[in-house]
Amino acid sequence: MPGIYLGAIVFSLVGMMLIDWKYSLALRVAPWRTALAVVAGTVFFLVWDLVGIVTGVFVKGESPLFVGIVLAPHLPLEEVFFLLFLSYLAVVMFAVFERRAAARRSGAAAVERRLE
């Protein structure tokens, strides 16, 4: 069934965006910084993929799940969306761990104040 892989990636990306929006993790807090980080990460990994393709390390396998659009030899359209999702996931998870660390610091500071 062509397009199911791309659909799964887009579904996951939208889900990540909804989680980010609901908990104000990255995009609502710093939209320009988030966009820049996601674009930079995506471009970095695209260059990484292109180097791997040129050196023969990466090759595109055949699958009936791909939509069939190839942007470059061995670079299907789905790869760009996957890298976009991967970069956005990294930014959101960084924000989650930053928030958890801040909560632990503030919790530890509150405990110290109570002990004084």
Side-chain angles (χ1 to χ4, degrees):
M1 188 160 146
I4 198 159
Y5 180 54
L6 181 60
I9 294 170
V10 170
F11 180 78
S12 300
L13 181 62
V14 170
M16 185 58 55
M17 292 175 84
L18 291 173
I19 290 169
D20 178 19
W21 190 261
K22 179 178 180 180
Y23 295 105
S24 297
L25 296 167
L27 200 55
R28 287 173 80 177
V29 175
W32 287 106
R33 190 171 46 194
T34 300
L36 179 65
V38 170
V39 168
T42 303
V43 168
F44 172 80
F45 284 116
L46 272 174
V47 169
W48 178 295
D49 277 1
L50 291 173
V51 169
I53 289 167
V54 167
T55 59
V57 175
F58 299 152
V59 293
K60 178 180 142 306
E62 295 303 318
S63 172
L65 304 177
F66 288 162
V67 292
I69 299 172
V70 180
L71 303 174
H74 303 290
L75 185 66
L77 175 67
E78 290 85 354
E79 183 70 10
V80 175
F81 280 90
F82 172 72
L83 296 176
L84 183 72
F85 170 72
L86 182 69
S87 298
Y88 187 53
L89 175 65
V91 169
V92 169
M93 291 309 297
F94 181 81
V96 166
F97 287 116
E98 281 287 305
R99 185 173 289 179
R100 287 187 69 197
R104 284 184 178 167
R105 284 192 299 270
S106 67
V111 168
E112 286 180 17
R113 281 189 298 252
R114 278 188 253 141
L115 292 176
E116 290 177 348

